[in-house]
Amino acid sequence: MHHPAQSVNLVHVGRALLSVSDKTGLLDLARALVAMGVELVSTGGTATALREGGLPVRDVAELTGFPEMMDGRVKTLHPMVHGGLLALRDDDEHLVAMAAHGIEPIDLLVVNLYPFEQTVARGANYADCIENIDIGGPAMIRAASKNHKFVNVITDPQDYDTLLAEMKANNGATSYAFRQRLALTAYSRTAAYDAAVSAWMAGALKEEAPRRRAFAGQIAQTLRYGENPHQKAAFYTDGTQRPGVATAQQWQGKELSYNNINDTDAAFELVAEFDPAQGPACAIIKHANPCGVASGATMAEAYARAFDCDRTSAFGGIIALNQPLDEATARAITEIFTEVVIAPGASPEARAVFAAKKNLRLLTTDRLPDPRAKGLAWKQVAGGFLVQDRDNGTILPADLKVVTKRQPTEAELRDLMFAWTVAKHVKSNAIIYVKDGATVGVGAGQMSRVDSTRIAARKSQDMAEAIGTTSPLTHGSVVASDAFFPFADGLITAAEAGATAIIQPGGSMRDDEVIAAADARGLAMVFTGMRHFRH
């Protein structure tokens, strides 16, 4: 028969099973448990650590009557352990079975798993990765979590203090609501663990489209809201440690918002395309699109040139640098309102300049992300999600195919490569005008490619007026298109704006028509053979 549920709301913790790979905080937890009269049962290295800490501990082998065997693979997979975790304390049949077989109840399970994710991250070989797949740990966690009506399960050292506070508040017991939350955390942990194993195995077997695909994350922060105030949101890290907003140190400013995180990621991924060894580069992002990208002899010059592409849009934007932030650049940035600055480092002098701007967030990383690195990108659609390789495609000057009568000059070629790099990070349809290593017009996200061409040219005219130059900045520029020109009209519009050279993938049915239009205007045009759609 089942007894009333309310009698199990508070459950006293009398026996705990501890088996952890990460020994952080273990002794402090164990001492506190012993002080509250909890009996400790443990395995292998955990038991050794507890004994060396002067604590009384029973071996699991004593509980089960079986020694640890097979290199520790078989130690907790036993009815004495799983019976102690799974038995319903309010079920008479379960209690009879426990008494008949000498099964002692386990009220608290403290387990963290073999470091599988860390083993993969350090590039271990196949056999080492297999050996670091935990079996007993997840089995016990899942058993204890299922029986959260009576059992507490802790899978992370960061929850040790929370557990002790709960037990102290309840004279050595825990509440049902508390155990429910522990079970949720535990199931999330085993789900993430299995996701990591399956993702690694798919990669190891070069399985590009496994039958089932799982992604997992760990909470980094809750957010005040999502893209809009009526949307709830949170930020999760995926464990890859790719340099960027997830790994950055925030020096000042209020908490990042959903849109800040999204835009900062876009900015840093773009600026990382420009090798710091080749000189300073700066990208300014607004609504995930660049409104200015430039190189310069100094970082302050790169910022100023990026700012001059579209000063209006830069207001309240995100700024990413490919070299550490210096004082001169920091002073220039503080002249207008900026949401976030991210860079691979910042000098103390630069940080001091920013300290006066309380709302400006400064983030620093230890390095830039590798734009050539492999990885997966995924996007939700109704009823599922799309998964693809990260766009790490690159083109070298030697890969370009000149299709016009006129060859590009060396200066044009440098700008063409710059424009192509930026195009990869602009929402489609994307058109980018570049002159002397700086964008001078960006057209993004239009349904018609010719419209993107016109918008970018028009923005250039507006900035020419604002800066006080006599002609649009696109005069003498080059232009990049993220996909082929389906008709000659886009190319003709670019030529009318003053562009002298074009870079595009090629591959249109009307390539001949587009090439003829370029030749008729004395333009140089190169094909990349690679497209960079970004939606």
Side-chain angles (χ1 to χ4, degrees), residues 400-404 408 413 416 502-506 524-528:
L400 299 176
K401 179 184 177 185
V402 180
V403 293
T404 48
L413 186 58
L416 288 167
I502 297 100
I503 187 168
Q504 59 137 317
M525 184 160 64
V526 297
F527 283 1
T528 63

Side-chain angles (χ1 to χ4, degrees), residues 40-271:
L40 304 184
V41 180
S42 192
T43 64
T46 305
T48 301
L50 292 172
R51 286 199 182 92
E52 288 174 354
L55 291 160
V57 58
R58 286 174 69 190
D59 279 315
V60 159
E62 180 194 330
L63 204 70
T64 64
F66 270 81
E68 290 188 21
M69 63 179 82
M70 302 179 186
D71 298 317
R73 285 188 173 203
V74 180
K75 53 191 175 190
T76 59
L77 296 169
H78 192 280
M80 287 296 188
V81 172
H82 286 270
L85 292 171
L86 283 165
L88 294 171
R89 286 24 164 203
D90 60 352
D91 186 308
D92 288 344
E93 290 184 9
H94 286 211
L95 296 176
V96 167
M98 289 176 77
H101 299 286
I103 296 172
E104 301 175 60
I106 298 168
D107 311 305
L108 167 63
L109 177 71
V110 181
V111 170
N112 54 60
L113 305 174
Y114 294 169
F116 178 81
E117 295 98 330
Q118 295 91 322
T119 304
V120 172
R122 65 178 166 81
N125 63 34
Y126 188 90
D128 282 346
C129 289
I130 290 291
E131 204 54 38
N132 275 279
I133 298 174
D134 204 324
I135 301 302
M140 288 192 293
I141 289 170
R142 290 174 61 80
S145 299
K146 177 170 180 171
N147 204 22
H148 63 264
K149 189 175 182 182
F150 303 99
V151 180
N152 303 269
V153 55
I154 301 284
T155 56
D156 194 324
Q158 75 182 49
D159 290 329
Y160 292 174
D161 288 344
T162 311
L163 169 72
L164 294 174
E166 171 78 4
M167 289 177 65
K168 283 171 184 170
N170 294 292
N171 297 316
T174 63
S175 69
Y176 181 59
F178 180 77
R179 295 191 299 277
Q180 282 182 304
R181 290 196 301 274
L182 292 182
L184 168 61
T185 299
Y187 277 126
S188 300
R189 176 66 189 113
T190 56
Y193 196 77
D194 281 343
V197 173
S198 66
W200 165 76
M201 205 153 196
L205 301 182
K206 295 182 169 53
E207 183 70 52
E208 293 179 356
R211 179 176 296 178
R212 296 183 187 272
R213 174 75 80 180
F215 294 100
Q218 184 166 342
I219 192 81
Q221 68 182 89
T222 54
L223 302 169
R224 286 198 302 141
Y225 53 81
E227 280 186 286
N228 301 291
H230 62 275
Q231 294 171 269
K232 290 184 172 65
F235 179 38
Y236 291 82
T237 56
D238 65 6
T240 60
Q241 296 294 301
R242 182 171 173 84
V245 67
T247 62
Q249 177 177 356
Q250 182 171 346
W251 293 91
Q252 64 169 71
K254 58 187 178 181
E255 194 174 74
L256 294 168
S257 71
Y258 180 102
N259 292 327
N260 289 153
I261 292 168
N262 187 56
D263 293 351
T264 302
D265 176 68
F268 205 50
E269 288 289 337
L270 167 50
V271 88

Side-chain angles (χ1 to χ4, degrees), residues 498-510:
T500 63
I502 297 100
I503 187 168
Q504 59 137 317
S508 167
M509 290 172 59
R510 294 183 175 83

